[in-house]
Short mmCIF file of all heavy atoms in Angstrom, two decimals:
data_model
loop_
_atom_site.label_atom_id
_atom_site.label_comp_id
_atom_site.label_asym_id
_atom_site.label_seq_id
_atom_site.Cartn_x
_atom_site.Cartn_y
_atom_site.Cartn_z
N LYS A 1027 -37.01 11.52 0.48
CA LYS A 1027 -37.77 12.76 0.54
C LYS A 1027 -38.00 13.33 -0.86
O LYS A 1027 -39.07 13.84 -1.16
CB LYS A 1027 -37.04 13.80 1.39
CG LYS A 1027 -37.10 13.50 2.86
CD LYS A 1027 -36.44 14.59 3.66
CE LYS A 1027 -36.46 14.27 5.14
NZ LYS A 1027 -35.86 15.33 5.94
N SER A 1028 -37.01 13.22 -1.72
CA SER A 1028 -37.18 13.76 -3.08
C SER A 1028 -38.17 12.91 -3.89
O SER A 1028 -38.93 13.45 -4.70
CB SER A 1028 -35.83 13.85 -3.81
OG SER A 1028 -35.24 12.58 -3.91
N ILE A 1029 -38.21 11.60 -3.65
CA ILE A 1029 -39.18 10.74 -4.34
C ILE A 1029 -40.60 11.07 -3.86
O ILE A 1029 -41.52 11.20 -4.67
CB ILE A 1029 -38.85 9.25 -4.09
CG1 ILE A 1029 -37.56 8.86 -4.83
CG2 ILE A 1029 -40.00 8.35 -4.55
CD1 ILE A 1029 -37.07 7.46 -4.53
N ILE A 1030 -40.77 11.25 -2.57
CA ILE A 1030 -42.07 11.60 -2.02
C ILE A 1030 -42.51 12.97 -2.56
O ILE A 1030 -43.67 13.16 -2.95
CB ILE A 1030 -42.04 11.59 -0.48
CG1 ILE A 1030 -41.86 10.15 0.02
CG2 ILE A 1030 -43.31 12.20 0.10
CD1 ILE A 1030 -41.65 10.04 1.51
N LEU A 1031 -41.59 13.92 -2.60
CA LEU A 1031 -41.90 15.24 -3.14
C LEU A 1031 -42.29 15.15 -4.61
O LEU A 1031 -43.26 15.80 -5.04
CB LEU A 1031 -40.69 16.17 -2.95
CG LEU A 1031 -40.88 17.59 -3.47
CD1 LEU A 1031 -41.96 18.31 -2.68
CD2 LEU A 1031 -39.57 18.36 -3.40
N ALA A 1032 -41.58 14.34 -5.39
CA ALA A 1032 -41.88 14.20 -6.82
C ALA A 1032 -43.27 13.59 -7.00
O ALA A 1032 -44.07 14.06 -7.84
CB ALA A 1032 -40.83 13.33 -7.50
N PHE A 1033 -43.61 12.54 -6.24
CA PHE A 1033 -44.94 11.94 -6.33
C PHE A 1033 -46.03 12.92 -5.90
O PHE A 1033 -47.11 12.98 -6.49
CB PHE A 1033 -45.02 10.66 -5.48
CG PHE A 1033 -44.50 9.45 -6.19
CD1 PHE A 1033 -43.42 8.74 -5.67
CD2 PHE A 1033 -45.09 8.99 -7.36
CE1 PHE A 1033 -42.94 7.62 -6.30
CE2 PHE A 1033 -44.62 7.87 -8.00
CZ PHE A 1033 -43.54 7.18 -7.48
N GLY A 1034 -45.74 13.69 -4.90
CA GLY A 1034 -46.71 14.69 -4.44
C GLY A 1034 -46.98 15.74 -5.50
O GLY A 1034 -48.14 16.10 -5.76
N VAL A 1035 -45.94 16.24 -6.12
CA VAL A 1035 -46.10 17.26 -7.17
C VAL A 1035 -46.85 16.67 -8.36
O VAL A 1035 -47.77 17.30 -8.91
CB VAL A 1035 -44.72 17.82 -7.60
CG1 VAL A 1035 -44.84 18.68 -8.84
CG2 VAL A 1035 -44.11 18.62 -6.46
N VAL A 1036 -46.50 15.45 -8.77
CA VAL A 1036 -47.18 14.81 -9.89
C VAL A 1036 -48.65 14.56 -9.55
O VAL A 1036 -49.54 14.78 -10.39
CB VAL A 1036 -46.47 13.48 -10.26
CG1 VAL A 1036 -47.29 12.66 -11.24
CG2 VAL A 1036 -45.10 13.78 -10.85
N GLY A 1037 -48.94 14.14 -8.34
CA GLY A 1037 -50.32 13.90 -7.93
C GLY A 1037 -51.14 15.17 -7.93
O GLY A 1037 -52.26 15.20 -8.46
N ILE A 1038 -50.60 16.23 -7.37
CA ILE A 1038 -51.32 17.50 -7.33
C ILE A 1038 -51.54 18.03 -8.75
O ILE A 1038 -52.63 18.52 -9.08
CB ILE A 1038 -50.56 18.52 -6.46
CG1 ILE A 1038 -50.63 18.09 -5.00
CG2 ILE A 1038 -51.13 19.93 -6.64
CD1 ILE A 1038 -49.75 18.90 -4.07
N LEU A 1039 -50.54 17.92 -9.59
CA LEU A 1039 -50.66 18.39 -10.97
C LEU A 1039 -51.71 17.60 -11.73
O LEU A 1039 -52.55 18.17 -12.45
CB LEU A 1039 -49.30 18.29 -11.67
CG LEU A 1039 -49.22 18.86 -13.08
CD1 LEU A 1039 -49.53 20.35 -13.06
CD2 LEU A 1039 -47.86 18.61 -13.66
N SER A 1040 -51.72 16.28 -11.57
CA SER A 1040 -52.70 15.47 -12.30
C SER A 1040 -54.12 15.72 -11.81
O SER A 1040 -55.06 15.79 -12.60
CB SER A 1040 -52.35 13.98 -12.19
OG SER A 1040 -52.42 13.56 -10.85
N VAL A 1041 -54.31 15.91 -10.52
CA VAL A 1041 -55.64 16.21 -9.99
C VAL A 1041 -56.11 17.57 -10.48
O VAL A 1041 -57.26 17.73 -10.89
CB VAL A 1041 -55.64 16.14 -8.45
CG1 VAL A 1041 -56.91 16.73 -7.87
CG2 VAL A 1041 -55.46 14.71 -7.99
N SER A 1042 -55.23 18.55 -10.48
CA SER A 1042 -55.66 19.89 -10.92
C SER A 1042 -55.98 19.91 -12.41
O SER A 1042 -56.93 20.57 -12.83
CB SER A 1042 -54.58 20.92 -10.58
OG SER A 1042 -53.40 20.67 -11.32
N ILE A 1043 -55.21 19.18 -13.23
CA ILE A 1043 -55.51 19.12 -14.66
C ILE A 1043 -56.83 18.39 -14.89
O ILE A 1043 -57.67 18.83 -15.67
CB ILE A 1043 -54.36 18.44 -15.43
CG1 ILE A 1043 -53.14 19.36 -15.46
CG2 ILE A 1043 -54.78 18.08 -16.85
CD1 ILE A 1043 -51.90 18.72 -16.02
N GLY A 1044 -57.04 17.30 -14.21
CA GLY A 1044 -58.29 16.56 -14.35
C GLY A 1044 -59.49 17.36 -13.89
O GLY A 1044 -60.53 17.37 -14.53
N PHE A 1045 -59.34 18.08 -12.80
CA PHE A 1045 -60.44 18.89 -12.29
C PHE A 1045 -60.74 20.06 -13.20
O PHE A 1045 -61.90 20.40 -13.42
CB PHE A 1045 -60.12 19.36 -10.87
CG PHE A 1045 -61.29 19.95 -10.16
CD1 PHE A 1045 -62.39 19.17 -9.88
CD2 PHE A 1045 -61.29 21.28 -9.77
CE1 PHE A 1045 -63.48 19.69 -9.22
CE2 PHE A 1045 -62.38 21.81 -9.12
CZ PHE A 1045 -63.48 21.02 -8.83
N SER A 1046 -59.70 20.66 -13.79
CA SER A 1046 -59.94 21.78 -14.70
C SER A 1046 -60.63 21.29 -15.98
O SER A 1046 -61.45 22.01 -16.56
CB SER A 1046 -58.64 22.51 -15.04
OG SER A 1046 -57.76 21.66 -15.74
N ASN A 1047 -60.36 20.07 -16.42
CA ASN A 1047 -61.06 19.52 -17.58
C ASN A 1047 -62.53 19.29 -17.27
O ASN A 1047 -63.39 19.53 -18.11
CB ASN A 1047 -60.42 18.20 -18.02
CG ASN A 1047 -59.10 18.40 -18.72
OD1 ASN A 1047 -58.82 19.49 -19.20
ND2 ASN A 1047 -58.29 17.35 -18.78
N VAL A 1048 -62.84 18.83 -16.08
CA VAL A 1048 -64.23 18.61 -15.69
C VAL A 1048 -64.97 19.94 -15.65
O VAL A 1048 -66.08 20.06 -16.15
CB VAL A 1048 -64.30 17.90 -14.32
CG1 VAL A 1048 -65.70 17.94 -13.75
CG2 VAL A 1048 -63.83 16.47 -14.44
N LEU A 1049 -64.35 20.96 -15.09
CA LEU A 1049 -64.99 22.28 -15.02
C LEU A 1049 -65.16 22.88 -16.41
O LEU A 1049 -66.17 23.51 -16.70
CB LEU A 1049 -64.17 23.22 -14.14
CG LEU A 1049 -64.21 22.92 -12.65
CD1 LEU A 1049 -63.29 23.89 -11.91
CD2 LEU A 1049 -65.61 23.01 -12.11
N ALA A 1050 -64.19 22.69 -17.29
CA ALA A 1050 -64.28 23.24 -18.63
C ALA A 1050 -65.40 22.58 -19.43
O ALA A 1050 -66.05 23.22 -20.25
CB ALA A 1050 -62.94 23.06 -19.36
N LYS A 1051 -65.64 21.30 -19.20
CA LYS A 1051 -66.70 20.59 -19.92
C LYS A 1051 -68.06 20.80 -19.28
O LYS A 1051 -69.07 20.41 -19.83
CB LYS A 1051 -66.39 19.09 -19.96
CG LYS A 1051 -65.19 18.74 -20.80
CD LYS A 1051 -64.93 17.26 -20.76
CE LYS A 1051 -63.66 16.90 -21.51
NZ LYS A 1051 -63.34 15.49 -21.36
N GLY A 1052 -68.11 21.38 -18.10
CA GLY A 1052 -69.38 21.61 -17.42
C GLY A 1052 -69.96 20.35 -16.83
O GLY A 1052 -71.17 20.20 -16.76
N GLU A 1053 -69.13 19.43 -16.40
CA GLU A 1053 -69.60 18.16 -15.88
C GLU A 1053 -69.74 18.17 -14.36
O GLU A 1053 -69.71 17.14 -13.73
CB GLU A 1053 -68.63 17.04 -16.27
CG GLU A 1053 -68.57 16.78 -17.75
CD GLU A 1053 -67.55 15.72 -18.12
OE1 GLU A 1053 -66.85 15.22 -17.22
OE2 GLU A 1053 -67.47 15.40 -19.30
N THR A 1054 -69.90 19.33 -13.79
CA THR A 1054 -70.06 19.37 -12.35
C THR A 1054 -71.45 18.88 -11.99
O THR A 1054 -72.40 19.03 -12.74
CB THR A 1054 -69.88 20.80 -11.82
OG1 THR A 1054 -70.80 21.65 -12.48
CG2 THR A 1054 -68.47 21.28 -12.06
N ASN A 1055 -71.57 18.31 -10.83
CA ASN A 1055 -72.84 17.74 -10.39
C ASN A 1055 -73.29 18.45 -9.13
O ASN A 1055 -73.26 17.91 -8.05
CB ASN A 1055 -72.69 16.24 -10.13
CG ASN A 1055 -74.02 15.59 -9.84
OD1 ASN A 1055 -75.06 16.20 -10.01
ND2 ASN A 1055 -73.98 14.36 -9.37
N ASP A 1056 -73.70 19.69 -9.29
CA ASP A 1056 -74.21 20.39 -8.13
C ASP A 1056 -75.72 20.17 -8.07
O ASP A 1056 -76.44 20.41 -9.00
CB ASP A 1056 -73.87 21.87 -8.16
CG ASP A 1056 -74.44 22.58 -9.36
OD1 ASP A 1056 -74.77 21.90 -10.34
OD2 ASP A 1056 -74.56 23.81 -9.31
N GLN A 1057 -76.17 19.69 -6.96
CA GLN A 1057 -77.59 19.35 -6.80
C GLN A 1057 -78.46 20.58 -6.60
O GLN A 1057 -79.66 20.47 -6.52
CB GLN A 1057 -77.76 18.38 -5.64
CG GLN A 1057 -77.09 17.04 -5.86
CD GLN A 1057 -77.69 16.29 -7.03
OE1 GLN A 1057 -78.88 16.35 -7.29
NE2 GLN A 1057 -76.85 15.59 -7.77
N LEU A 1058 -77.84 21.75 -6.52
CA LEU A 1058 -78.61 22.96 -6.28
C LEU A 1058 -79.15 23.56 -7.57
O LEU A 1058 -80.09 24.33 -7.55
CB LEU A 1058 -77.74 24.00 -5.57
CG LEU A 1058 -77.18 23.55 -4.22
CD1 LEU A 1058 -76.25 24.61 -3.67
CD2 LEU A 1058 -78.29 23.27 -3.25
N GLY A 1059 -78.58 23.19 -8.69
CA GLY A 1059 -79.00 23.78 -9.96
C GLY A 1059 -80.06 22.96 -10.65
O GLY A 1059 -80.57 21.98 -10.13
N ASP A 1060 -80.43 23.39 -11.84
CA ASP A 1060 -81.43 22.68 -12.62
C ASP A 1060 -80.83 21.43 -13.23
O ASP A 1060 -79.65 21.38 -13.57
CB ASP A 1060 -81.94 23.56 -13.77
CG ASP A 1060 -82.72 24.75 -13.25
OD1 ASP A 1060 -83.26 24.65 -12.14
OD2 ASP A 1060 -82.80 25.75 -13.96
N THR A 1061 -81.64 20.40 -13.34
CA THR A 1061 -81.20 19.18 -13.99
C THR A 1061 -82.23 18.81 -15.06
O THR A 1061 -83.40 19.13 -14.94
CB THR A 1061 -81.08 18.01 -12.99
OG1 THR A 1061 -82.35 17.81 -12.37
CG2 THR A 1061 -80.03 18.30 -11.94
N ASN A 1062 -81.76 18.16 -16.09
CA ASN A 1062 -82.63 17.70 -17.16
C ASN A 1062 -82.76 16.20 -17.09
O ASN A 1062 -81.78 15.50 -16.82
CB ASN A 1062 -82.07 18.10 -18.53
CG ASN A 1062 -82.11 19.59 -18.73
OD1 ASN A 1062 -83.00 20.26 -18.23
ND2 ASN A 1062 -81.15 20.11 -19.47
#
């Protein structure tokens, strides 16, 4: 249970850090906005 919990916490942390980097760089791909 502790190994599963550790992997879960690490996974959630890595996804949130990666997603915040994408948002900070403005690399979102929303098809509703303008595109060049």
